[in-house]
Amino acid sequence: MVELDALRVTREAYDAAALIYAQRFRDALQDRPLDRAILSAFAEVVGASASASASGNGQVADLGCGPGHITAYLDELGLAAFGVDASSAMIELAREAYPGLRFDVGSMAALNIADGVLGGVLSRWSIIHTPPQELPLILAEFHRVLAPGGHLLVGFSATDGPVPPTQVFDHTVAPAYRWSPDHLAGMLREAGLAEVARMVREPQPTDQRQFQEIHLLARKAEAGAA
């Protein structure tokens, strides 16, 4: 019930803010070279893993895609990317802005995606509204839809220290959580996703919130691997 309530609140809040959000963040990557770099690295490892696998599946889901600008960037990087978001208003804007790409309404807790079919999953600040007790379910879904050897890139805001592992903060749109990077990396391991690398971006003086921003890159084990 907690998850359903959180999802409903988040969905309704983003529906109401969709147009403003799209206008504000459509060009957000222009001034973020480190974000572009980690997305490029993600695209490269997904492509390499897909080329090396028997299935050759390089399809990537951008989960919590919002108005679709990051999905479009992944497409520019050569990935077969599609977006999923709980907000129907966000999906409508994404379809209007990028008519050549696929965008679906859906929940990260119950994805309408078959088992083991994706070469990559991007979760860019899309887990921050998930209550901590519900995050294992989300991570299990990420693991389920990834093909063996597939990669996950998850972005989030960090806590100020290792204890407590999560902290609530006053997000503009809906209640949100910060995470200890080591704690979240441990949760990924428990879900069957081994950390490959992480990027830590220190807050800039002009940033509204003085939080570290974290990107964790993780990989699902190959079939039959110990």
Side-chain angles (χ1 to χ4, degrees):
M1 184 61 116
V2 173
E3 193 278 332
L4 292 176
D5 287 344
L7 177 61
R8 175 183 56 78
V9 169
T10 301
R11 181 179 62 243
E12 292 176 354
Y14 276 99
D15 279 346
L19 187 57
I20 294 173
Y21 186 97
Q23 292 171 344
R24 179 177 179 184
F25 291 105
R26 183 165 289 141
D27 299 320
L29 287 177
Q30 287 185 357
D31 299 323
R32 287 181 166 255
L34 295 179
D35 287 27
R36 296 197 305 271
I38 194 66
L39 289 170
S40 295
F42 171 67
E44 186 170 342
V45 297
V46 168
S49 295
S51 298
S53 71
S55 66
N57 191 344
Q59 196 173 30
V60 172
D62 178 10
L63 302 180
C65 66
H69 55 299
I70 303 298
T71 316
Y73 188 72
L74 295 179
D75 177 71
E76 291 177 10
L77 292 174
L79 294 176
F82 66 96
V84 178
D85 202 281
S87 166
S88 59
M90 286 289 194
I91 292 298
E92 182 178 348
L93 290 173
R95 289 170 176 169
E96 290 175 359
Y98 310 105
L101 299 179
R102 169 187 160 193
F103 294 97
D104 300 327
V105 177
S107 165
M108 293 189 300
L111 293 165
N112 187 25
I113 300 172
D115 294 354
V117 298
L118 298 181
V121 166
L122 176 65
S123 171
R124 183 178 165 86
W125 273 264
S126 58
I127 65 166
I128 64 172
H129 302 297
T130 302
Q133 66 271 24
E134 299 295 337
L135 189 58
L137 175 63
I138 303 294
L139 300 183
E141 275 292 272
F142 292 171
H143 180 272
R144 180 185 67 79
V145 298
L146 278 171
H151 286 81
L152 164 70
L153 181 63
V154 57
F156 57 96
S157 297
T159 58
D160 297 324
V163 178
T166 62
Q167 293 175 333
V168 179
F169 71 95
D170 185 20
H171 189 275
T172 305
V173 179
Y177 303 87
R178 296 191 283 160
W179 289 85
S180 160
D182 289 340
H183 181 75
L184 188 50
M187 294 182 69
L188 290 173
R189 285 194 301 274
E190 291 175 2
L193 299 161
E195 181 181 354
V196 174
R198 71 176 67 180
M199 185 182 80
V200 180
R201 178 184 179 274
E202 295 294 337
Q204 303 302 303
T206 55
D207 289 346
Q208 180 182 0
R209 296 185 180 89
Q210 293 296 295
F211 304 156
Q212 283 185 334
E213 294 183 354
I214 310 295
H215 286 85
L216 288 179
L217 180 65
R219 185 173 184 268
K220 180 176 176 176
E222 297 281 0

